[in-house]
Each structure stands twice: as C-alpha cells, then as structure tokens.
C-alpha cells in the first residue's frame, strides 16, 4: 500500500513521522525532527519552491514485518527508482502498527545542487515501482497489473458490437488490443524490433511508418484486417507504446539509426562538407528556416582569442529555457539554419552572433547554448545584451527559436525575470511546446492562455449549439403549423360532406 503527498513545511511532517516511530536511515546527519528540519533548509535555500516537501509511505500487509536493514534497502531502491538523485536529501522512519508495519519517506524536492524533482504521474509510477520491489525483494504481492488504470482504447463501432452480440465473438480490434497488452506484459520487449518479433509469433504482423529516418507510427495486420495504432486507442500509438515498453530512445536498431559524423560533434571543429539534416520539429512548430551557418575553424580560433580577453560569463543572465531530464538528451547539432553564426568555446558552450557581426567582448547577440552534460541539463540562455538590443518579446522568441532548432526536447522549463518567463511562456504556448514549470509566472501565464482558449472554444461551441437548437425550433414550428393546417382542412371536408348528401336527396331519383 502506498500514499504520496506534498507540503510546504518540513517541521510538521517530521514530528508526525517521529511520533510513534523511529528514524532508521536516510542520507542526512540529523537525528531529531528539529535537526532534520534545519538540515532540510540547506536544499530549500537553493531554489524557490512553494511545496518542497515530498512525503510517501509504504505499508506491508497486516501481520508481516521486516528488519530495519531490509526496510532501508527497499527505501533506498524506491527513492532511486522514483527519480530522486543522490544529492536530494531524504530520511526514513519506521512505524510498527497493528494494521501493518510501514515506513515514511520524507524527501526534499530541491536537491543540494538546485535541481527540482517534478514527479509528474508519480502515483502511477509509484504503483509500478512497488510492484517491481515486491517481486525483487520477495514480498507479498499486493499490487497487480490489474490495479493499473484501464488502457485508453477506442470503443468498438456499432456494427462490430452488433456482430459480437450475434456471434458471441469479441470484436477484432478488442482481441488485437488484448494481444498487444499481453505481449507487453509477458514478453517485455525493449525495442520496436522486439515488439515486432513477439507479435509475429502470435500471428500479428507489424508495419512501421518511418519519416526522416525515424519511426513515427505503427500498423497491425491480423487475419486479413488492418488496424493503425490510433484505431486501437491512444495507448497503442507508437510513442505511447515506447513509453509502455520503457524504451530507451538512445538505443536504436541499426536499421533505424542515423549515423552521426564524430567530427561534427567536437566543439570548435565543424563539418561543412555536407548539409546537416533538417530538424523535423521546425516544420512541426511552423518555423521558417533562415540562412545561417557554423563558424569555421579559423573563426573559432579567433573566437578563443576573444574569450581570453574578456570573460563573457561576467554579463548578466536574465533567463532561458532548460531541459530537465524528461526525454533522451538532445544531440547537438541538429540544425543550424537559424540566422546566426555559432562559435564554440572550450567548454562546449555555443555563442550566437548575427551573420554580419564579428564576435567581440560582451557578446552583443546575447544568446548561448549549453549542451547536455552529466552535471547540468541542456539549456538556451539569454543575456541582458539581448534585451538591450532586441527587446523583451523578441529575445523570448529568439530563445524559443534556438531551443527548437537545436532540438531541445519537451517539456522545458523557464528561468529568469518574471516578465521574461511570461514572454517565453506566450511563445511556447503559440508553438504548442510543453511547459515543465509547476509554478511561477510562466505557469500562471500558460494557465491563463489555456483558460482563454478554452473559454473561446466553449463560446464557439455554445454558439454552435444555440444555432442548431434554433434551427430545430424552426423545424418544429414549421411542422406544428403544417399539422394545424392539415387538421383545419380535415374539419372543413367533414363539414362539406353532409351538405352534399342533403342536396342529392332533394333532387330525387333519376328518371
């Protein structure tokens, strides 16, 4: 059994956990609720967060117990699988209750290095992790796959349902969806090829739709019938199947891989012998490519000389976009046609200059790209020079544009001044880029725009409903008028009929 909650203060939850329980471990030095609360302040100061407290409890079935050492192993594995990093502070309390022995995990969502644990869909993820831990540590299985939320399937069509009632045979799309679920649960494929081979053994042929060297869709063939992934439901579309397989997108089969030029990946050594592949996300976001290029080796050497004379890190950074370990790390570069010349420094950071402007101390263009490393996520940064030269709104558009052209995965989070984050959120909303921020001005602006769009669509829907209702009322009124006219004619005919008979009798019989 599990329970997850969040809060804004550590003192209360620590006192609750300590009451009737005992501290058995974690990665903190404190031994009392007061000492632990003071120690948690170290991470809380690293970054603003309205609800930094993350609290979960794990309970055994009634009558079962485990030694403290085993509980600590389970707690450590659980915290790690949930996505917390080693520098996230946490502590573990053990309670011996009659209803079942259980532990409380109290952790800080902010790490000592300032990274934030977002934890989207954490209850569903936690359910799956607990199921894994029960099997891994030989515990009583209390959570089964049946407890997971139902799959998002398409409802069989009316004809399929009627045929199933007549023949007492499940519709083909339901049988196929059940088969895919069974293969994912029992065979546990890790790659698209594994899934294809496993389904082939069950009599289902799989066909992948590729675009730009990458798989974009999937189609199933069984018994002469053909179903696309979307025809079965949202959970059977190719991107969702990858998530259900826990597929590592960095692992690709040889047939679907795009070999990269090692020389191109080395900072300061661009490869201009052939054009770089176009980033498909550019067309998807509706951006039009402008002419741009990578700095030559000579220009990069000159750029290193510029760096020696002036440290560009001294300028004020006002904000940017950051990738927070949600999807595989981006490959740099993916597309360079964005209107700037890119210069690489020794750390791998890329600085952007207009094509007609030579690099100089102060970085008058005002933007930089930080590739993904083990110590920091990939990010696009804007500096005060960008605001001074281009204005706030244009700088926000440029930052999002660079993020798209450099292949920054979604969702992405914003940082910087409130005005800058709001401007970036507006551009991200316009391009349908997913926002990772859980709070702050960017989230508020994003929610406001979503609400405005929803209200606008609701008004349009109500207007359409009213128009349809008015049309039906007109039809009803016309039908009622026709009915009244028909009744009037029938009544008139009944009145005329007796008069005609009387007239015939007065004439007498014919001679």
């Amino acid at each position: 059994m599990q329970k997850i909650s969040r809060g804004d203060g550590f003192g209360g939850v620590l006192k609750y956990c300590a009451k009737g329980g005992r501290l058995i471990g974690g990665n903190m030095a404190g031994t009392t609720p007061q000492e632990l609360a003071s120690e948690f302040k170290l991470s809380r100061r690293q970054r603003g967060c309205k609800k930094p407290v993350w609290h979960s409890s794990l309970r055994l079935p009634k009558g079962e117990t485990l030694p403290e050492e085993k509980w600590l192993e389970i707690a450590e594995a659980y915290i790690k699988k949930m996505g917390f990093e080693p520098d996230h502070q946490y502590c573990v309390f053990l309670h011996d209750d009659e209803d079942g022995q259980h532990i409380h995990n109290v952790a800080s969502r902010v790490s000592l290095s300032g990274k934030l644990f977002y934890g989207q869909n954490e209850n569903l993820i936690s359910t799956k992790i607990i199921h894994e831990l029960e099997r891994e540590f030989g515990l009583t299985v209390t959570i089964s796959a049946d407890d997971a939320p139902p799959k998002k399937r398409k409802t069989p069509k009316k004809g399929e349902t009627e045929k199933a009632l007549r023949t007492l045979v499940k519709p083909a799309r339901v049988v196929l969806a059940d088969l895919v679920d069974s293969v994912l649960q029992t065979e546990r494929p890790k790659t698209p090829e594994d899934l294809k081979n496993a389904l082939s053994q069950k009599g289902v042929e799989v066909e992948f739709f590729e675009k730009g060297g990458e798989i974009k869709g999937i189609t199933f063939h069984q018994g002469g019938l053909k179903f696309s992934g979307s025809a079965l439901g949202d959970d059977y579309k190719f991107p969702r199947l990858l998530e259900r397989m826990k597929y590592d997108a960095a692992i690709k089969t040889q047939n679907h891989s795009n070999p990269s030029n090692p020389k191109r990946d080395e900072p300061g050594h661009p490869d201009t012998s052939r054009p770089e592949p176009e980033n498909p996300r550019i067309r998807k976001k509706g951006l039009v490519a402008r002419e741009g290029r990578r700095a030559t080796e000579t220009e990069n050497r000159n750029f290193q000389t510029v760096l020696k004379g002036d440290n560009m890190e001294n300028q004020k950074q006002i904000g940017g976009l950051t990738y927070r370990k949600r999807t595989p790390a981006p490959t740099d570069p993916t597309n360079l046609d964005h209107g700037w010349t890119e210069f690489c420094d020794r750390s791998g950071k890329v600085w952007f200059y207009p094509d007609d402007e030579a690099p100089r101390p102060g970085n008058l263009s005002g933007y930089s790209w930080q590739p993904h490393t083990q110590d920091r996520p990939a990010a696009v940064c804007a500096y005060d020079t960008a605001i001074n030269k281009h204005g706030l709104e244009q700088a926000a558009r440029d930052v999002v544009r660079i993020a798209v052209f450099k292949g920054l995965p979604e969702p992405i989070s914003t940082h910087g001044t409130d005005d800058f984050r709001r401007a970036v959120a507006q551009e991200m909303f316009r391009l349908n880029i997913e926002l990772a921020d859980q709070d702050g001005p960017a989230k508020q602006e994003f929610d406001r725009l979503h609400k405005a769009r929803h209200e606008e669509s609701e008004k349009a829907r109500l207007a359409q409903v009213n128009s349809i209702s008015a049309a039906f009322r007109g039809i009803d009124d016309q039908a009622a008028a026709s009915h009244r006219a028909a009744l009037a004619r029938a009544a008139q005919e009944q009145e005329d009929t007796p008069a005609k008979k009387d007239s015939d009798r007065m004439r007498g019989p014919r001679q």
Side-chain angles (χ1 to χ4, degrees):
M1 180 179 173
Q2 61 159 345
K3 184 178 180 181
I4 297 177
S5 61
R6 297 184 179 189
D8 54 6
F10 287 94
V13 67
L14 290 171
K15 289 180 181 178
Y16 168 78
C17 294
K19 184 178 180 180
R22 59 187 182 276
L23 179 69
I24 62 172
N27 59 0
M28 304 177 68
T31 57
T32 65
Q34 294 77 14
E35 293 174 352
L36 292 171
S38 298
E39 195 171 344
F40 272 120
K41 291 181 180 179
L42 295 176
S43 58
R44 190 168 188 171
R45 293 194 191 103
Q46 301 301 315
R47 178 171 179 162
C49 181
K50 291 183 178 179
K51 292 187 176 182
V53 181
W54 190 86
H55 172 216
S56 72
S57 61
L58 306 177
R59 183 185 298 271
L60 288 176
K62 186 175 182 179
E64 295 187 10
T65 60
L66 288 175
E68 292 184 3
E69 296 78 10
K70 183 64 69 173
W71 268 121
L72 280 177
E73 292 181 27
I74 295 173
E76 182 178 354
Y78 175 74
I79 290 290
K80 184 177 180 180
K81 288 177 179 288
M82 283 297 298
F84 288 93
E85 298 189 4
D87 60 344
H88 277 91
Q89 296 172 305
Y90 79 95
C91 55
V92 183
F93 290 84
L94 175 62
H95 283 217
D96 293 307
D97 285 358
E98 294 182 359
D99 293 336
Q101 192 182 52
H102 63 277
I103 59 171
H104 291 267
N105 302 302
V106 181
S108 173
R109 294 178 57 215
V110 181
S111 71
L112 293 174
S113 59
K115 295 181 180 179
L116 182 63
F117 170 77
Y118 290 101
Q120 290 185 334
N121 299 322
E122 56 188 359
N123 283 292
L124 177 59
I125 294 173
S126 176
T127 298
K128 295 179 179 178
I129 290 174
I130 292 175
H131 187 45
E132 294 175 1
L133 293 176
E134 287 173 340
R135 291 179 295 176
E136 182 179 341
F137 288 91
L139 306 176
T140 301
V141 177
T142 58
I143 298 178
S144 66
D146 296 334
D147 296 322
K151 303 290 186 299
K152 296 180 180 179
R153 293 184 178 182
K154 281 285 185 68
T155 304
K157 297 180 179 179
K158 182 179 179 181
E160 294 175 322
T161 304
E162 293 176 348
K163 182 179 179 181
L165 293 174
R166 292 195 309 268
T167 61
L168 300 180
V169 177
K170 283 186 179 181
R173 74 175 67 233
V174 176
V175 174
L176 181 56
D178 289 339
L179 188 57
V180 174
D181 292 340
S182 175
V183 168
L184 290 175
Q185 185 175 358
T186 58
E187 303 295 334
R188 299 188 180 277
K190 296 297 183 183
T191 67
E193 292 299 329
D194 291 344
L195 177 63
K196 182 177 181 179
N197 295 334
L199 287 173
S200 178
Q201 295 177 2
K202 304 291 185 180
V204 180
E205 297 301 323
V206 174
E207 178 184 359
F208 294 117
F209 168 70
E210 297 184 23
K211 185 176 181 181
E214 294 185 0
I215 302 176
K216 298 296 185 181
I218 187 171
T219 302
F220 305 94
H221 300 264
Q222 184 186 37
L225 299 177
K226 175 181 177 182
F227 293 96
S228 64
S230 58
L232 298 182
D234 290 343
D235 269 2
Y236 304 90
K237 295 179 181 179
F238 184 72
R240 178 61 182 138
L241 286 174
L242 293 184
E243 295 178 8
R244 293 174 62 188
M245 289 191 294
K246 299 181 180 179
Y247 171 65
D248 183 359
I251 303 173
K252 295 185 178 181
T253 60
Q254 186 175 0
N255 294 333
H256 305 296
S257 62
N258 292 326
S260 59
N261 190 329
K263 183 179 181 181
R264 184 178 296 168
D265 294 335
E266 297 178 9
H269 295 280
D271 179 12
T272 58
S273 60
R274 56 186 173 87
E276 297 188 0
E278 182 181 359
N279 185 349
R281 300 178 73 234
I282 297 172
R283 290 195 305 273
K284 180 180 178 182
K285 300 302 179 185
L287 298 178
V288 179
R290 296 183 291 179
E291 293 185 359
R293 63 179 179 85
R294 195 70 168 284
T296 64
E297 294 186 32
T298 301
E299 288 174 326
N300 259 310
R301 283 197 296 269
N302 295 337
F303 180 71
Q304 305 302 325
T305 304
V306 172
L307 290 178
K308 291 180 181 178
D310 185 270
N311 183 7
M312 294 184 180
E313 295 292 350
N314 291 333
Q315 60 183 320
K316 182 181 178 183
Q317 180 175 314
I318 65 163
L321 300 178
T322 306
Y323 153 63
R324 292 289 181 184
K325 287 189 178 179
R326 293 292 181 82
T327 52
T331 302
D332 178 35
T334 54
N335 189 289
L336 303 175
D337 293 335
H338 45 51
W340 292 280
T341 305
E342 301 184 16
F343 294 87
C344 297
D345 63 18
R346 293 181 180 85
S347 67
K349 181 181 291 187
V350 179
W351 300 84
F352 298 92
Y353 287 87
D355 289 339
D356 57 351
E357 181 179 310
R360 64 191 65 155
N363 186 29
L364 295 182
S365 65
Y367 309 107
S368 70
W369 160 266
Q370 297 177 350
H372 174 80
T373 65
Q374 291 184 346
D375 300 326
R376 68 186 180 194
V380 180
C381 301
Y383 296 85
D384 54 349
T385 51
I387 298 297
N388 296 334
K389 185 173 182 179
H390 307 297
L392 179 66
E393 293 183 357
Q394 183 60 45
R397 284 194 293 269
D398 286 341
V399 168
V400 176
R401 183 185 182 88
I402 293 172
V404 174
F405 274 91
K406 297 298 290 183
L408 195 65
E410 300 178 37
I412 49 185
S413 61
T414 65
H415 60 89
T417 64
D418 290 354
D419 291 340
F420 179 80
R421 293 178 67 182
R422 278 190 285 265
V424 169
Q426 293 173 3
E427 183 66 10
M428 291 173 61
F429 180 82
R430 186 181 71 83
L431 297 176
N432 293 321
I433 297 177
E434 187 178 354
L435 178 70
D437 296 46
Q438 298 295 313
D439 47 36
K443 175 64 173 174
Q444 295 170 2
E445 182 67 13
F446 222 71
D447 292 343
R448 184 189 70 79
L449 294 171
H450 271 293
K451 183 179 179 181
R453 175 184 288 179
H454 175 73
E455 291 176 350
E456 183 177 350
S457 62
E458 187 66 17
K459 288 180 181 178
R461 188 187 69 82
L462 290 175
Q464 185 179 15
V465 170
N466 292 334
S467 175
I468 295 173
S469 299
F472 276 111
R473 283 196 299 271
I475 294 173
D476 291 340
D477 293 342
Q478 185 178 0
S482 299
H483 182 64
R484 287 194 297 270
L487 292 176
R489 286 195 300 271
Q492 185 64 37
E493 291 176 357
Q494 290 178 357
E495 292 177 358
D496 293 343
T497 300
K500 183 178 179 182
K501 291 181 179 179
D502 292 342
S503 175
D504 292 342
R505 283 198 298 269
M506 290 175 67
R507 292 195 193 102
R510 292 184 179 181
Q511 298 298 326

